[in-house]
Amino acid sequence: MRRRQFWALVAPSVVVMFGFMLVPLYRTLRWSFERVNYGEAGTFIGLANYQAALSDPRLGRAVVFTIGLTVVVGVVCLVLGYVLATLVNGLGRARPVVLGILLISYVSPHIVGAVAFSWLFDSNFGGIVDYLLNAVTGGAFGEPLWFTSTWPNRLIIVLNVVWFMLPFSMLLILAGLQGVSAEMMEAAQIDGASPLQRHLYVIVPSIRGVLGFVVLILTMDVVRVFDSLIPLAPQSLTNGNESLMVYIYRVAFAEATRNLGLGSAISVLTILLILVLLLPSIRSVVKEARA
Amino acid sequence: MTVEIAGTDARSARTPVQAAGDVTRRRPRPGRSRMAVVSAILLAVTCLLMVFPFVWAALASTKPTDVAFANPPVFRYTPTFSAYVDLWQTTDFYLYLINTVVVAVISTVVALLVGIPCAYALSRYGGVASVVLLILALVFRALPRFAVVLPMYDITRSLGIYDTTYAMAAALIVINQPFTIWLLRNFFAEIPRELDEAAMVDGCTRVGVLTRIMVPLMGPGILTAGIFVFLFAFQEYLTAAVLTDTTSKTVPVFIATQLGQNLPLLQQASAATVLLTLPVVGIAFIAQKYLVAGLASGAVKG
């Protein structure tokens, strides 16, 4: 393909993507150096916003919470996604139905899922899980404060994020399983490999690329989790379960001060964090493109 | 044969694995049937757990207000659909539903129109620009939404297009464009370049190759990308919460605003949840075939 043709074909998308992405991004960057109100021109205040952001322990807590959530959800989704994909892969005629059911939580709006989720735990609204937990354990756990105490709240947040991300990891891994070579599986079987050995030494290595892709998507999407935390972590500011996105939202948009400059500075810092997390993937894209 | 190149025909994509299954079937091991039973039970339990939150919300939506959120939960009641009637009569729910669908449809169509030529070019051009664009797209995909959406709030306000359906659709096209071109580019990369060359030898132009050969071949791939973009638009809460107010509000935002309200409104929220989930269930059942096959041939290799 000639260069002129290339640019003609990519032009609309590039204009849309860059035009409408870079202008807002540039604003965010500029705001991060300004004291600014919505709809007004800001005044340049240098690094003051960054200083304020970095000296506030709230940022550190948000980073730790967000990364912790990403790691836990990532590991759980990878392991359960693999198991689930293997089980689904073994299905015959039931497969479309099972896949359809499993996908519902992924394709529903996350905020809607999280609202439904919150009703399961909130004793003000039925709290069926509390009820069942007490019925089964005879009240051994009492009635955990799912929304106010730190760890019970973390548990339901992790459960919720796993709940809606698991189908996607399962789907990707299932797609990867389609590509595992049948000859290799047969060879492994003739050599007497146990099912576990076949998984560990044949299947997992041959879908390594897919697993890497799953990790990449999970990292991107869990770092950005926002919707579900609105109903699930209303007390996040006080119980330490505030994610970076919720922090930015509150600082820049929801709290009375509506400090756009500070919010933008945190946004810029988050972009830097995400770039660091993405570095391995970017490197592999470059490597693949050069090959 | 052509569809199989794209690898998006669900049946053909599954054959290698079925073959692998045949291998095990030829040499039955003791305990195999027990394993099948165990895995069936595990899957059934997982399915049940995965849909349970929605099932519970659906039950709540048919309960009378006083028992819907009773603690301990009430299991015996006379079902009523008054929450749905109230939802329809006392709120602008139908309007929010129309907004949601309109935003999703517009953004899907435009995203594909803009994304398809770009993805095709990216899959065929080996220059540095191609690599740079793909990496930037990856970075854009990962950006924190607020870095883009808050300035958009400011911009749409000053342009006087705040709280309009098309501004919201435009924002979603932009935000989802990186994903669209990555996914489509991987689909295109699966189609051999020889096909382009043959068509061009026969006198096709580049655009001719794209519209006459690639797009028909890519049918399932385009459908997969379309389903994803549609779902993303359908699900979007944050962008809608920031860029819309009253006239172009979408259902996810509506449901969020019912939170922290009194019980009758929560009843309506659960009814709204059910009404929004039902079409999604339909999409899930239609989409699963394309998503697995599509991802198998496309996204995964990227």
Side-chain angles (χ1 to χ4, degrees), chain B residues 142-157:
Chain B
L143 282 180
R145 209 49 69 80
F146 286 113
V148 181
V149 170
L150 288 180
M152 280 180 177
Y153 170 79
D154 214 46
I155 294 167
T156 52
R157 290 222 97 148

Side-chain angles (χ1 to χ4, degrees), chain A residues 63-87:
Chain A
V63 170
V64 170
F65 174 77
T66 307
I67 293 184
L69 182 69
T70 309
V71 171
V72 172
V73 170
V75 170
V76 174
C77 279
L78 210 55
V79 173
L80 287 186
Y82 184 86
V83 173
L84 212 50
T86 312
L87 292 180

Side-chain angles (χ1 to χ4, degrees), chain A residues 89-105:
Chain A
N89 203 20
L91 287 177
R93 270 212 305 235
R95 194 171 137 128
V97 179
V98 171
L99 267 179
I101 293 174
L102 288 178
L103 277 177
I104 294 172
S105 65

Side-chain angles (χ1 to χ4, degrees), chain B:
Chain B
M1 162 254 177
T2 43
V3 181
E4 282 169 8
I5 291 175
T8 33
D9 182 313
R11 224 174 303 139
S12 73
R14 216 187 308 161
T15 29
V17 179
Q18 281 175 334
D22 291 341
V23 172
T24 43
R25 221 163 288 141
R26 253 183 276 133
R27 274 176 265 268
R29 278 177 287 110
R32 183 177 160 76
S33 66
R34 204 193 313 151
M35 249 171 69
V37 171
V38 170
S39 76
I41 292 173
L42 278 178
L43 276 174
V45 171
T46 313
C47 286
L48 202 68
L49 287 176
M50 294 298 275
V51 289
F52 186 70
F54 290 125
V55 170
W56 191 246
L59 285 177
S61 73
T62 63
K63 291 176 185 172
T65 307
D66 53 328
V67 301
F69 298 104
N71 188 17
V74 175
F75 294 97
R76 280 161 167 250
Y77 59 92
T78 331
T80 158
F81 289 93
S82 60
Y84 292 87
V85 177
D86 290 344
L87 177 73
W88 211 260
Q89 286 175 347
T90 63
T91 72
D92 289 330
F93 181 75
Y94 71 97
L95 202 70
Y96 307 141
L97 197 60
I98 291 172
N99 283 337
T100 315
V101 173
V102 168
V103 166
V105 170
I106 295 180
S107 60
T108 306
V109 171
V110 179
L112 290 178
L113 283 179
V114 173
I116 287 171
C118 178
Y120 173 62
L122 287 171
S123 75
R124 292 296 186 261
Y125 184 72
V128 184
S130 200
V131 180
V132 172
L133 281 185
L134 279 171
I135 289 172
L136 278 173
L138 184 73
V139 173
F140 283 167
R141 163 77 168 70
L143 282 180
R145 209 49 69 80
F146 286 113
V148 181
V149 170
L150 288 180
M152 280 180 177
Y153 170 79
D154 214 46
I155 294 167
T156 52
R157 290 222 97 148
S158 55
L159 291 177
I161 54 168
Y162 171 72
D163 197 19
T164 58
T165 312
Y166 55 87
M168 166 76 186
L172 285 177
I173 293 164
V174 176
I175 290 168
N176 290 326
Q177 190 63 201
F179 179 86
T180 320
I181 61 173
W182 257 101
L183 190 65
L184 287 170
R185 176 238 174 214
N186 290 338
F187 280 121
F188 279 123
E190 290 290 298
I191 302 177
R193 284 170 189 232
E194 288 74 27
L195 224 56
D196 304 39
E197 282 150 23
M200 288 199 293
V201 168
D202 291 345
C204 239
T205 59
R206 267 292 169 193
V207 176
V209 172
L210 179 60
T211 53
R212 290 204 203 150
I213 307 207
M214 292 300 143
V215 170
L217 268 184
M218 283 272 293
I222 292 172
L223 196 62
T224 306
I227 291 169
F228 268 114
V229 182
F230 185 88
L231 283 174
F232 291 152
F234 201 76
Q235 292 179 333
E236 187 65 27
Y237 165 71
L238 193 158
T239 312
V242 175
L243 292 184
T244 70
D245 187 16
T246 46
T247 56
S248 62
K249 194 191 269 186
T250 61
V251 178
V253 180
F254 167 75
I255 291 176
T257 51
Q258 303 293 88
L259 295 176
Q261 311 280 349
N262 52 32
L263 285 181
L265 289 186
L266 274 173
Q267 268 289 82
Q268 293 176 14
S270 59
T273 301
V274 172
L275 290 181
L276 193 64
T277 310
L278 280 181
V280 159
V281 173
I283 296 174
F285 277 82
I286 300 167
Q288 48 85 21
K289 170 174 146 196
Y290 293 101
L291 295 188
V292 181
L295 291 170
S297 70
V300 157
K301 291 187 183 132

Side-chain angles (χ1 to χ4, degrees), chain A:
Chain A
M1 178 175 289
R2 262 172 272 134
R3 177 183 285 227
R4 263 230 329 267
Q5 289 173 330
F6 171 77
W7 284 110
L9 287 173
V10 298
S13 181
V14 168
V15 167
V16 166
M17 209 164 45
F18 286 74
F20 293 88
M21 245 356 179
L22 287 181
V23 172
L25 274 179
Y26 169 70
R27 278 215 183 191
T28 293
L29 189 64
R30 213 183 56 195
W31 278 342
S32 73
F33 296 106
E34 290 177 342
R35 186 184 304 111
V36 60
N37 287 315
Y38 284 92
E40 292 170 20
T43 43
F44 184 80
I45 52 168
L47 290 172
N49 285 323
Y50 288 94
Q51 227 158 25
L54 289 171
S55 60
D56 190 345
R58 205 172 154 189
L59 178 70
R61 274 204 302 268
V63 170
V64 170
F65 174 77
T66 307
I67 293 184
L69 182 69
T70 309
V71 171
V72 172
V73 170
V75 170
V76 174
C77 279
L78 210 55
V79 173
L80 287 186
Y82 184 86
V83 173
L84 212 50
T86 312
L87 292 180
V88 170
N89 203 20
L91 287 177
R93 270 212 305 235
R95 194 171 137 128
V97 179
V98 171
L99 267 179
I101 293 174
L102 288 178
L103 277 177
I104 294 172
S105 65
Y106 175 68
V107 298
S108 307
H110 296 166
I111 186 143
V112 173
V115 169
F117 225 78
S118 74
W119 287 335
L120 298 180
F121 292 89
D122 197 330
S123 51
N124 290 326
F125 306 133
I128 177 83
V129 172
D130 275 342
Y131 176 79
L132 291 177
L133 197 66
N134 278 337
V136 172
T137 65
F141 293 99
E143 282 188 5
L145 300 168
W146 297 111
F147 298 91
T148 43
S149 18
T150 306
W151 284 100
N153 193 223
R154 279 181 189 170
L155 183 64
I156 64 170
I157 293 168
V158 166
L159 282 177
N160 177 260
V161 180
V162 166
W163 176 68
F164 71 69
M165 281 312 292
L166 183 60
F168 191 63
S169 348
M170 181 269 295
L171 203 60
L172 280 172
I173 296 172
L174 183 61
L177 290 179
Q178 321 279 320
V180 176
S181 104
E183 289 81 25
M184 223 150 65
M185 290 295 292
E186 194 167 10
Q189 195 151 25
I190 291 169
D191 290 347
S194 71
L196 184 68
Q197 282 172 327
R198 264 179 307 191
H199 280 288
L200 284 181
Y201 301 119
V202 181
I203 304 179
V204 170
S206 62
I207 61 168
R208 224 175 30 219
V210 178
L211 297 178
F213 187 69
V214 174
V215 170
L216 171 70
I217 298 279
L218 283 169
T219 311
M220 283 183 182
D221 289 0
V222 181
V223 168
R224 291 189 311 183
V225 161
F226 172 79
D227 306 14
S228 347
L229 297 177
I230 296 295
L232 284 179
Q235 303 295 327
S236 57
L237 181 56
T238 46
N239 67 10
N241 294 344
E242 190 173 52
S243 76
L244 271 167
M245 292 301 109
V246 174
Y247 179 28
I248 298 173
Y249 175 70
R250 287 194 176 135
V251 167
F253 209 70
E255 281 171 3
T257 47
R258 300 208 351 150
N259 194 337
L260 199 49
L262 182 58
S264 302
I266 306 164
S267 272
V268 173
L269 292 172
T270 309
I271 294 176
L272 295 179
L273 176 74
I274 288 175
L275 284 181
V276 171
L277 292 176
L278 281 188
L279 219 53
S281 309
I282 293 177
R283 213 182 286 157
S284 79
V285 171
V286 174
K287 218 166 32 184
E288 195 208 341
R290 279 212 186 122

